[in-house]
Amino acid sequence: MARDRILTLHFNDGTRMAFEFAEQASHVLVKEAKLKEILAGQNLVIEAEGQVMIFPMTSIKYIAFNSFGEAFAKGPALPKHAITNARVLDS
């Protein structure tokens, strides 16, 4: 299973932490449900390298999801109010 996705957590204190991982679900409806669950939750739970990490959403300034090539096209539908096809000018 290819690890072709990257999730970067940007915390309120200015630090960040990145995770590389494989596709978590193959069906688009399951992906959409997972994304909704993450956005609605009070904590983000990540299992990595034998550890379970729990991040309070209140400590996270923003989350960046990246995937490469075909993987992005197979992702979940974004909320209807999402701005798409944007480009970062200054971060």
Side-chain angles (χ1 to χ4, degrees):
M1 196 178 283
R3 290 185 177 168
D4 57 357
R5 286 135 173 85
I6 297 173
L7 174 136
T8 305
L9 302 175
H10 295 263
F11 297 102
N12 294 329
D13 67 0
T15 61
R16 66 181 181 210
M17 190 172 195
F19 299 89
E20 181 181 49
F21 59 97
E23 182 175 48
Q24 301 293 294
S26 59
H27 194 278
V28 71
L29 293 178
V30 177
K31 291 177 188 181
E32 288 177 17
K34 282 183 164 283
L35 181 58
K36 285 179 184 176
E37 188 177 323
I38 288 170
L39 295 175
Q42 293 183 0
N43 297 301
L44 177 62
V45 180
I46 298 175
E47 180 277 319
E49 299 177 7
Q51 300 180 67
V52 174
M53 298 175 228
I54 302 169
F55 301 96
M57 292 299 267
T58 55
S59 298
I60 301 170
K61 187 174 182 179
Y62 68 95
I63 301 170
F65 290 97
N66 299 22
S67 62
F68 306 102
E70 295 272 329
F72 186 74
K74 293 189 265 180
L78 296 174
K80 291 181 181 180
H81 62 273
I83 296 170
T84 61
N85 235 2
R87 183 174 61 144
V88 176
L89 297 177
D90 190 12
S91 56

